[in-house]
Each structure stands twice: as C-alpha cells, then as structure tokens.
Amino acid sequence: MKNTRAIMAAVMAALVVMAIAHPSTQIEFGKLAKPPKDSPLAKASCAACHVGIGKPALNPYGKDLAAAMKALKTKSLTAAVLKKTAKLDSDKDKASNEKEIKAGTLPGDPKSKPAK
C-alpha cells in the first residue's frame, strides 16, 4: 500500500510539472509568433507543436523547434529558436513556417496552409 501511495504521489507531481511547463511554452509562443487572432494557429494550443492536444509526440514543426532549441542550447522557446526555423517548411506543404505563422495556419500540418 505504501508503494502505491508513493507511485501515485510521483505521478501527480509529474502531472503538475507537465501542466506548468506546457502553458508557459504556449504563452511564449503566442507572444513571440503573434498568430492572427482567432486563426487556426491561435486556437491550436498544444497542437501547434504536438500531434494533438495532450499528446506528447511532436509534429514536424515541433520536431524542428526541438532541434533548433538543442542547436541553440536552450530549453526555452525564444525568438532565436523561431528565427532559426522560420525559413523551413516543416510540414512540406510548400509554405515556410514563417509564412504559415503570419497566415495563422499550422506549420506542422500539411493540410493547413496559407491561401494563395
């Protein structure tokens, strides 16, 4: 019974840490990227970088951001990270990440791309 309580306490602590980390990254992304209000990107929440809301796996854009963060030796989303990934086309839909962000579309989803 003691082990079960210890495991549950550890799981709850991990969930709290995860809940704290993700919203701050989302807030920072919104401040730095400034997606158009009410756009799919502004409404995407975690799905801007992850394969879905509440899913830990990263989409192509999230993977490129993670690689840029590693290259820049930072664990935080920064303007430099966004700049490093701006010219990439993470989802291979023929629109750069920068263009998608300005249009408010999802740079990690090939079905979401700016209008021509």
Side-chain angles (χ1 to χ4, degrees):
M1 196 67 160
K2 274 187 173 180
N3 285 341
T4 303
R5 286 186 193 148
I7 291 170
M8 290 303 292
V11 168
M12 294 304 290
L15 289 173
V16 168
V17 169
M18 286 174 29
I20 291 168
H22 290 292
S24 65
T25 302
Q26 290 172 26
I27 290 167
E28 197 60 26
F29 180 81
K31 286 180 187 176
L32 294 169
K34 298 179 175 113
K37 186 179 178 190
D38 297 326
S39 67
L41 183 56
K43 294 176 182 178
S45 183
C46 308
C49 302
H50 293 268
V51 295
I53 294 173
K55 310 261 182 178
L58 296 172
N59 66 31
Y61 181 59
K63 288 177 183 177
D64 283 342
L65 288 175
M69 290 168 70
K70 184 176 180 180
L72 294 169
K73 296 181 173 119
T74 181
K75 293 186 181 201
S76 301
L77 184 63
T78 64
V81 171
L82 290 182
K83 184 176 181 180
K84 190 164 181 68
T85 60
K87 302 296 180 207
L88 299 177
D89 177 12
S90 295
D91 58 11
K92 310 293 186 233
D93 64 359
K94 298 187 170 101
S96 70
N97 295 337
E98 180 177 48
K99 191 177 217 178
E100 292 218 50
I101 289 168
K102 286 181 180 178
T105 58
L106 302 169
D109 181 354
K111 294 180 224 138
S112 174
K113 52 188 164 188
K116 293 188 179 198

